[in-house]
Amino acid sequence: MSKRMSKKWLTVLFIIVIAFSVTACSKGGNSEPQTNGSKPGSGTAEKPVEINFWDMVWGPPSYVEEAQKLVEQFNSEHPTIKVTYQSTPWNNWYQTFTTAIAAGAPPDISTGAGYQAFQFTDNDAILPIDDVVEELRSEGKLDDFVPGSVEALKYNGHYVAFPWMIDIRVPFYRKDVFQEAGITELPKTWDELRADLKKINGNGKYGLVLPGNDPNLGLQALFSLMLNNGGGIFTPDKKVDLLNERNVEAAQFLADIVSDGSVNPAMLGFNGDSGVKEFGAGRGGVFIHTPSLPDSFPELADKIGVLEPLAGPHGDKATLGWVNNIMIYKATKHPDEAKTFLKWWSENNKTLWTVGKQGGFPVKQSFTQDPYWQNNPILKLIADKYLGIMKTTGFQAPGGFPELNEIEGDGTTLTMIQKLMSGKPVKESMEETAKKYETIMGNKK
């Protein structure tokens, strides 16, 4: 080869080396290598997107174990996403979340109680999921959900959370106590219930378990009766309506049961745990409680049943419940991946009940066709008869609102129950609470 030719090829080789070096720098410089043309943050097989999921303790240890297994299953099916599971206790839950939000470090996604998403939406912490809801609606998947459960999570025109579990209240009864009282046919109306409760009274037994010093169960029993009577505490435009005729009639019915001697006078000082003990000991015939009540007495499995929905004085049938949910936080850096997990969780979490022994009911009605529910007389009756007539405390107004949480936890409501149990005039007992509700809502009738 001539010297001229050698010099020419050396020049070409030098140009190629320079071009290669420039190209390599333009494709990454000092940044991490990318694969398959993916964008930063979208997740790759080498470094998946990380999502933090805070899940409240919705059941016994078996629930937490099963929830962790579900997260592991999701991760194995979605190699570009890694969800980290955190079981979050109910003690100081509000402070836990508000502190995290204030610090700019909330989870990407979490489960929560009925009104949690409304509260945190007011703090500008929740990401609306209108697109997720509309996608599932267009696919026909929302047809499987308990009626009203999706719309119950709409606030200020946006869906701020997605339903996954129904927490409902139903009237349990002791079969042996009814039998001892000579009750051969279960009550179907309020009048029949009142008559049967009176038959139970005596020999240390009382017809109704009604914890008068519990901020939840006493209130829930009264609200259940109000809804059962076609009442409710709001008008459609969110005005307080506690003193409407149907509500007063329901409160009077409860007061009449007390005046019949069908509630142990000592109940005025009982909390929920004490009420459970009374029912378990057979000293009470009927107890309005959560579907998980029988789990407290596995030895009494054949002695506990659920009354079918009772017809109120005007023929209405309904009961109280809440739509517990799952929500995404605005601070997340990976909203698309969080939405992917939310949809998957909704479709695949049936084992939280069948294996994890979660106490509520699934929002997906098709789940309850599983033998876990169909072969259990109590669970089957609740699924068949009660889920479809469940109403929330704010059902009259479209969607939800954060004031519901304060109204349910307000101390004057417990005072109202105690006044009713003490024989005070019904309407007078309700007026103070109605005024406090109006203050909470910031409006008048």
Side-chain angles (χ1 to χ4, degrees):
M1 180 180 295
S2 67
K3 292 182 178 179
R4 183 177 179 181
M5 288 294 293
S6 298
K7 185 176 181 180
K8 175 181 178 181
W9 284 110
L10 286 173
T11 301
V12 171
L13 180 61
F14 177 76
I15 292 173
I16 290 173
V17 170
I18 293 298
F20 179 82
S21 299
V22 172
T23 301
C25 290
S26 68
K27 285 188 176 181
N30 295 324
S31 63
E32 294 181 3
Q34 301 168 30
T35 60
N36 300 324
S38 60
K39 296 179 181 180
S42 65
T44 69
E46 295 181 0
K47 188 177 181 181
V49 163
E50 295 186 4
I51 299 292
N52 290 315
F53 174 40
W54 291 6
D55 187 28
M56 306 308 296
V57 181
W58 297 104
S62 57
Y63 169 85
V64 177
E65 293 172 5
E66 185 58 27
Q68 290 174 322
K69 289 180 182 178
L70 281 174
V71 168
E72 292 170 3
Q73 179 184 341
F74 173 86
N75 288 339
S76 68
E77 295 177 8
H78 299 78
T80 63
I81 306 173
K82 180 184 178 182
V83 176
T84 300
Y85 182 84
Q86 175 178 308
S87 180
T88 306
W90 285 104
N91 290 340
N92 299 319
W93 71 268
Y94 186 74
Q95 183 177 3
T96 298
F97 279 91
T98 53
T99 300
I101 290 170
D108 297 275
I109 186 169
S110 81
T111 57
Y115 311 131
Q116 180 174 326
F118 307 143
Q119 291 177 288
F120 293 155
T121 294
D122 276 356
N123 294 336
D124 197 33
I126 299 298
L127 181 71
I129 53 168
D130 299 344
D131 54 341
V132 173
V133 172
E134 294 310 318
E135 175 188 340
L136 297 177
R137 193 191 310 278
S138 67
E139 295 172 354
K141 293 183 178 180
L142 298 187
D143 297 340
D144 187 25
F145 283 53
V146 170
S149 59
V150 176
E151 297 305 311
L153 298 173
K154 199 170 188 177
Y155 178 47
N156 287 344
H158 295 284
Y159 296 98
V160 296
F162 198 68
W164 74 277
M165 188 264 279
I166 299 295
D167 185 12
I168 197 169
R169 298 296 175 267
V170 295
F172 287 91
Y173 74 101
R174 284 290 300 258
K175 297 178 181 179
D176 51 340
V177 173
F178 269 52
Q179 185 177 6
E180 291 171 10
I183 302 171
T184 56
E185 292 187 19
L186 296 179
K188 296 181 175 59
T189 67
W190 280 18
D191 287 342
E192 292 176 3
L193 174 65
R194 182 180 176 187
D196 286 343
L197 294 180
K198 288 199 296 188
K199 293 177 184 177
I200 294 171
N201 299 336
N203 299 318
K205 293 183 173 61
Y206 297 86
L208 180 67
V209 175
L210 183 66
N213 197 29
D214 188 276
N216 296 313
L217 292 174
L219 159 72
Q220 292 164 8
L222 178 57
F223 279 2
S224 293
L225 289 172
M226 288 178 176
L227 296 174
N228 190 178
N229 197 34
I233 59 178
F234 295 102
T235 62
D237 57 349
K238 294 197 295 190
K239 301 291 185 182
V240 175
D241 195 28
L242 182 64
L243 295 173
N244 69 61
E245 291 182 2
R246 295 294 185 93
N247 289 345
V248 173
E249 190 173 27
Q252 184 64 60
F253 176 71
L254 189 62
D256 289 343
I257 289 175
V258 173
S259 67
D260 290 339
S262 296
V263 176
N264 183 349
M267 280 279 172
L268 194 59
F270 279 22
N271 61 19
D273 290 341
S274 298
V276 170
K277 290 177 182 177
E278 289 293 292
F279 187 73
R283 291 191 289 269
V286 175
F287 194 11
I288 297 175
H289 209 280
T290 68
S292 62
L293 177 63
D295 295 341
S296 300
F297 320 106
E299 73 281 4
L300 300 176
D302 61 338
K303 295 181 179 179
I304 297 177
V306 176
L307 297 176
E308 293 202 8
L310 298 169
H314 308 278
D316 301 276
K317 294 182 179 180
T319 194
L320 175 66
W322 295 264
V323 182
N324 293 324
N325 48 74
I326 185 168
M327 67 204 82
I328 298 174
Y329 293 77
K330 274 190 175 181
T332 181
K333 297 179 181 178
H334 309 291
D336 291 339
E337 288 81 359
K339 290 174 183 178
T340 296
F341 177 69
L342 183 153
K343 289 183 287 186
W344 185 94
W345 187 260
S346 175
E347 291 288 328
N348 296 276
N349 62 14
K350 182 171 70 174
T351 56
L352 293 178
W353 289 270
T354 59
V355 178
K357 307 303 180 184
Q358 207 283 110
F361 271 74
V363 74
K364 288 174 68 67
Q365 298 176 99
S366 59
F367 281 7
T368 60
Q369 298 307 305
D370 187 273
Y372 177 78
W373 288 273
Q374 293 298 308
N375 294 342
N376 183 312
I378 289 178
L379 297 183
K380 178 175 172 54
L381 190 151
I382 296 173
D384 293 346
K385 302 286 188 177
Y386 278 98
L387 286 184
I389 61 172
M390 182 277 296
K391 295 180 179 179
T392 66
T393 47
F395 83 95
Q396 299 95 332
F401 39 98
E403 293 89 349
L404 289 169
N405 195 61
E406 186 174 354
I407 280 176
E408 289 193 3
D410 179 57
T412 59
T413 306
L414 181 60
T415 301
M416 175 177 66
I417 299 296
Q418 292 176 335
K419 286 182 177 180
L420 292 174
M421 294 179 67
S422 300
K424 303 295 184 183
V426 169
K427 199 162 186 179
E428 177 184 312
S429 300
M430 300 173 69
E431 286 174 349
E432 179 185 352
T433 299
K435 290 178 182 178
K436 184 59 184 292
Y437 287 179
E438 289 164 358
T439 299
I440 292 171
M441 294 300 297
N443 57 45
K444 301 289 183 181
K445 280 178 56 178

